[in-house]
Amino acid sequence: MNLLFRWWSRLSRSFTRAQAPVAEASVLGMAPRRVWVLLGLALAAMVAVGLLALNQEASRLSRPDAHVASDSDVHALRQAWAVPDNGAHFPPPAIAQVVGKPVNLPDEWSRSQPGHKGGVWYRFPLTFADGAPPDTLLAALIDRACASVEVQLNGAVVFRSGRMVEPYSRDCFGSHVVPLPAALLRPTGNVLDVKVAGYPIQRVTARQRAGGLAAVHVGPMSEVRQMADEQTLWTTTLSQIMGGVLVVMGVFSLGLAWVRRLSYMLYFGLLTLGWALMTGRFWRADLPVPNDAMEVLIAIMMAPMTAFAVKFLMGYAGIGLRDPGQQVWNQRVNLLLWAQCLLLPLSLLLLGVDRLFLGARVWFGVFTLELFLAIGHFLWVTGRGRRAEFWLMCAALGVVAAVLGIELSYQSGLLQSGGLHITHFVMPLLYAAVGVRLIQVYARALQSAEGARAHLERRVQEISVEIERNFNQIAELRVDQIAEKERKRIAGDLHDDLGAKLLTIVHTSDNDRISTLAREALEEMRLSVRGLTGRPMVLSDSMADWRSEVVSRLGQAGIECEWRNPHDTIEEPLSSRTYVQTTRIVREAVSNIIKHSGASHVVITADVDLANHVFTLVIQDNGKGIPMELDGRLDRGHGMTSMKHRAKQLNGQCLVESGPGFGTIIRLTLPLEIATMQQVLSHRLGA
């Protein structure tokens, strides 16, 4: 024991040193964590005291005496004459007086029959208040008897539970209802003999399974049955329900551990399944297994159950996951835990079947110490910040302390083992609470992971769309750059080669017509070159060019021109393509006026809708208009087709209104492509 305590103390100090940097860096600091641990221990003490009081009250209320009303016909038989004997009937009076002795119920063989193995007869005299048996069917309620029971009324067998030869049945936790037939009852001198066959305390690993007999109550069958049902509900049925819940929770934990690779969930699942297996005695009490083998098997289960609990606490606290030093100690703890699973059965075999109880008590103390150390270290680790787990484990520490304290009191004989004990359902409730907390933590982690995954998917999708958009923009920009470079090359070739030749013709030709045609071709070429270079213009500058050209041409033709421009300065940008196409539309319109209209006055109105970014140009003459024979066929002559086609290419429209004697109105409406032009301008300015 001292060696084990020193080993665990060294382990705890090593874990504390390994985690000292983390604790110093913690917001709480070392001193506040000690305060939290002290508060947790205070909570554990309060829980333990409350459970001790609850166990005492539950034990009192679960006994049949607590449910007997003052006016009830059920009577308790608290004294009997006990005779150790394996015979088929109660021994003769001569032998019974010599061998037997009076006992008070409940009777534990560890006190009244130390070392006895086999059968013990208990004789109860039955007397009735009226001097004769009542007319109703009577029954006897045996609160608890360990292990096999046989009941005789006036020498006739009326009830038997389990085998009366070895191995005796192990029904040490259930109550028995024994009908007392009226035909066997006599007016006086009735005796009730109860034979209990069991084992001495030295040959069992828990005092609860040693031979003994609890209280016996006799009364009407209906009342006795009701008392038995209430007692069975609290002592057996509730434990069966808890065991079933633990099986489901254990299987779920194992499945979760398998899917998510959570080691602590594996140990928690094994722990709950192990406890459910240990409570299987409430389901099946009559197993044809020798007592010694069954007791050793029950004791052996204590070692892996303790190992599962310690490993769960270490894994849930995160011990040994990151620090290599902790991993080394974790391996040593594993070696110790699994080594004791082999040492326990070996030690019991060396002690022999007559010292099973002694060996089990020693190992029970060792396991108790290990659990307290594991829970205490878990509190120390989780006291830094995991508040929910900290308080839950503080309450669990109180529960474990109360349960182990009660169990140690039972094994030491300080408390009687009859009635209801909180160990039957408090530990399953504790497992259920821890399991619910684990599922809650896992659900939150899963929810967070799903949220993070969804957020990551959205971010990946957004980034993918952004990358695709950037790639398309880069590709379009690359194409635009190549196209612009090619346009500049062509424009340079036209300007340097064809422009020079046309200019030479203009200045050297003696023929006026050739010189005029060359000049017109040079102007058209310059317009084309401007369109190829792709340089945007400001709308005010563009209208100034158009006004200068229109006024000059109409003036040379002897036509008066009035240019109306409501805005002196219009800073709206105009793409080179729009400028070129608009210039050609204006030239075509002016050419039609000079050649066909016969007008003497032309009014040109330029307007800009700044809100909608729309440019409107209206050209109106006072000429003779378009002849009637061309009505409905305006698109077939006078260049109207090309004008409308160019406007359509610019997402605009060109409307012609005319009538004989009323002149002609050409209305050109074009969008200014403001967004596109701003991007081009900003790109060029940035370059």
Side-chain angles (χ1 to χ4, degrees), residues 153-226:
L153 178 60
N154 294 328
V157 177
V158 295
F159 178 81
R160 180 178 292 126
S161 173
R163 295 179 301 274
M164 302 306 294
V165 296
E166 290 196 78
Y168 303 124
S169 301
R170 308 176 61 82
D171 189 9
C172 296
F173 299 92
S175 58
H176 308 284
V177 177
V178 182
L180 302 179
L184 298 178
L185 292 174
R186 298 191 291 261
T188 58
N190 294 289
V191 292
L192 183 67
D193 299 327
V194 178
K195 180 182 180 182
V196 178
Y199 298 96
I201 192 173
Q202 295 83 358
R203 303 191 65 171
V204 295
T205 56
R207 183 179 295 271
Q208 293 92 325
R209 293 188 294 275
L213 178 65
V216 178
H217 296 77
V218 177
M221 183 66 174
S222 58
E223 297 185 27
V224 170
R225 174 61 66 183
Q226 182 179 359

Side-chain angles (χ1 to χ4, degrees), residues 252-262 265 442 446:
F252 178 78
S253 300
L254 292 180
L256 194 60
W258 174 266
V259 173
R260 294 296 179 180
R261 299 295 188 269
L262 300 175
M265 291 297 294
Y442 173 75
L446 184 62

Side-chain angles (χ1 to χ4, degrees), residues 539-559:
L539 186 56
S540 297
D541 298 338
S542 300
M543 287 193 296
D545 292 344
W546 296 331
R547 178 178 182 178
S548 176
E549 180 180 347
V550 169
V551 171
S552 176
R553 290 184 62 189
L554 291 177
Q556 292 177 2
I559 302 174

